[in-house]
Amino acid sequence: HEFKVSNKPTASVAFSNDGRTLVSSGSDTVIRIWDLQDKKEIRSLRGHTDWVSSVVFSTSGGNILSCSVDKTVKLWELASDEAPKGVGHSGPLSATALSPDGKLAASGSEDRTIRIWNTEN
């Protein structure tokens, strides 16, 4: 299967735990959520101001964690239309991960640091 995401390069993709949904990000600053069965974009998330370098689904599938060259990490609650929770970093970000229980997030930066933070605060 192939998806035309945008006219810009893709930086990161991740499957939901149930394998029915895919999330993608890239240099156009938009995070896209795809329905794999219908092969259609079902939602887009906007809030970063620069290249979105990494995206991951939470184990439950209810959240997406993203990080960007704009030096922010954002936790998107998919059931909510509220602005995502976010934290800043001292350098452009290149990697992110969520703990299996979704309570901790980690982000890696080009400034050679890894930051771990509580997603429930």
Side-chain angles (χ1 to χ4, degrees), residues 30-44:
V30 179
I31 298 165
R32 291 180 169 79
I33 304 170
W34 303 89
D35 180 303
L36 292 176
Q37 184 174 0
D38 294 336
K39 300 178 183 105
K40 292 182 181 178
E41 182 180 332
I42 54 176
R43 189 165 178 193
S44 59

Side-chain angles (χ1 to χ4, degrees), residues 74-86:
K74 295 186 184 293
L75 181 65
W76 307 82
E77 294 183 26
L78 298 179
S80 172
D81 288 330
E82 292 182 30
K85 295 178 188 176

Side-chain angles (χ1 to χ4, degrees), residues 13-78:
V13 295
F15 284 101
S16 61
N17 273 357
D18 64 8
R20 301 165 124 185
T21 311
L22 183 78
V23 62
S24 67
S25 69
S27 65
D28 65 358
T29 74
V30 179
I31 298 165
R32 291 180 169 79
I33 304 170
W34 303 89
D35 180 303
L36 292 176
Q37 184 174 0
D38 294 336
K39 300 178 183 105
K40 292 182 181 178
E41 182 180 332
I42 54 176
R43 189 165 178 193
S44 59
L45 306 172
R46 290 174 169 76
H48 286 290
T49 59
D50 206 336
W51 186 289
V52 182
S53 50
S54 180
V55 289
V56 294
F57 268 104
S58 63
T59 303
S60 69
N63 297 317
I64 290 175
L65 185 69
S66 62
C67 71
S68 172
V69 174
D70 69 8
K71 302 179 184 177
T72 64
V73 180
K74 295 186 184 293
L75 181 65
W76 307 82
E77 294 183 26
L78 298 179

